[in-house]
Amino acid sequence: MSLAHSSSPGASPVPVRNDWTRDEVRALFDLPFSDLMFEAQRVHRLHFDPAEVQISTLLSIKTGGCPEDCAYCPQSAKYDTGVRAEKLMSLDAVLAEARAAKASGASRFCMGAAWREPKDRDLDRVCAMVEGVRALGMETCATLGMLTPEQAGRLKDSGLDYYNHNLDTSPEFYGEIITTRTYKERLETLDAVRAAGIHVCCGGIVGMGERRDDRIGMIATLASLPVHPESVPINMLVRVEGTPLAAEAALDPLEFVRTIAVARICMPKSVVRLSAGREDMSEEMQALCFLAGANSIFYGPKLLTTPNPGRDRDMALLDRLGLRPMER
Ligand code: SAM
Ligand code: DTB
Ligand code: SF4
């Protein structure tokens, strides 16, 4: 039996606000933990069935050799991380992976490329992949770097459902992490994706040495976009040897849970993804993240280049928690 959620009679609607101030977001972070969790659950149940989790599978269709300098990223050519630069995968190989992901229970297939931005010739090939994955009956997502409005339109025409492009952190901390593209350029790509009519997947990373003020700034920025991203991935930094952030101190796990809860409250209708970093999280911590309002995961033993929990382990966890995959 499941308790009240959005369809329950008497549930009062939560207004979706796009004018969150940093002080308001800070006040949420500052709540006693149980008050924050209670509010996150309340908001979550107004819009979602709390027993449902959206399941996405990631595939790196073009790995490594990226010209950007994102300090967290194992795929940047600037750092010696042991990730080899590869060419864009073939259409057949991508579709074989998508079929396998579908057979194992994923409803969305996310294709990632280690590019600053796609070349038009490469975009044609990605569009063919999107068409092929869609024909399998899966939702499609791509993350290819910066896009022009014209490129976003071509992806939309090929049937792309979601585009992932993260703000990563607050505008103030951003310059400590990436110097090869600006925050403004990220916002412009998000505008292009939104204008093309593609659903926006946009979130960030915590545990990069940022302060709570930066986590506040990131969520306030996301929650003040003219339309909230439909999908909000919250990544815990995966500390990869060879990257500048390899020796970063681990973030307090409860601060990560707070970040999820605040994202849930500020973006009540968005699907919040408990994204990278689960391999190093206890099952108890993941359970707290679901309780805080996370309702999506990446499923399958690999993210783009780093490990993720195995499928059996994840299915057993969902089962123990009484959670089930969200229908498309
Ligand atoms: N190159 C494209 C871009 O940067 O937009 C697409 C792929 S990029 C790997 C997608 C996202 O993965 C990044 O924006 C970042 O948020 C996340 N990411 C990359 N490395 C990570 C790490 N070590 N830990 C957590 N998240 C990471
Ligand atoms: C997102 O926010 N997280 C995913 C996806 N979008 C593309 C990527 C996580 C990557 C973790 C490091 C790696 O596996 O290379
Ligand atoms: Fe390149 Fe994306 Fe990695 Fe940055 S996050 S280095 S743009 S692959």
Side-chain angles (χ1 to χ4, degrees), residues 62-79 112-117 143-146 165-166 168 177-178 180-181 186 205 304:
K62 196 276 164 214
T63 303
C66 183
E68 301 285 270
D69 69 352
C70 313
Y72 48 75
C73 188
Q75 304 200 69
S76 166
K78 310 231 190 276
Y79 317 127
W115 289 323
R116 172 180 165 81
E117 70 242 308
T143 179
L144 316 169
M146 293 190 281
H165 197 68
N166 290 336
D168 277 347
I177 301 296
I178 299 147
T180 47
R181 82 170 75 148
R186 292 203 179 235
I205 312 179
L304 291 172

Side-chain angles (χ1 to χ4, degrees), residues 58-60 63 72-75 83 110-113 141-143 164-166 168 201-205 232-238 240 273 275-277 298 302-308:
L58 259 180
L59 176 68
S60 180
T63 303
Y72 48 75
C73 188
Q75 304 200 69
V83 171
C110 307
M111 294 167 272
C141 177
T143 179
N164 167 245
H165 197 68
N166 290 336
D168 277 347
C201 173
C202 181
I205 312 179
V232 179
I234 304 292
N235 296 275
M236 177 72 109
L237 174 70
V238 180
V240 178
R273 181 173 302 129
S275 193
F298 283 123
K302 202 167 161 197
L303 292 167
L304 291 172
T305 66
T306 64
N308 197 42

Side-chain angles (χ1 to χ4, degrees), residues 15 17 35 59 79 215 219 252:
R17 291 179 42 202
D35 290 349
L59 176 68
Y79 317 127
R215 295 184 281 279
I219 293 182
D252 171 7

Side-chain angles (χ1 to χ4, degrees), residues 31-42:
L31 283 172
F33 189 75
S34 52
D35 290 349
L36 176 60
M37 295 294 273
F38 186 81
E39 179 62 4
Q41 266 293 307
R42 188 186 72 80

Side-chain angles (χ1 to χ4, degrees), residues 229-260:
E230 283 75 10
S231 164
V232 179
I234 304 292
N235 296 275
M236 177 72 109
L237 174 70
V238 180
R239 290 168 290 177
V240 178
E241 210 51 58
T243 63
L245 297 182
E248 197 54 57
L251 182 75
D252 171 7
L254 294 181
E255 180 69 9
F256 183 84
V257 178
R258 280 185 186 272
T259 309
I260 298 254

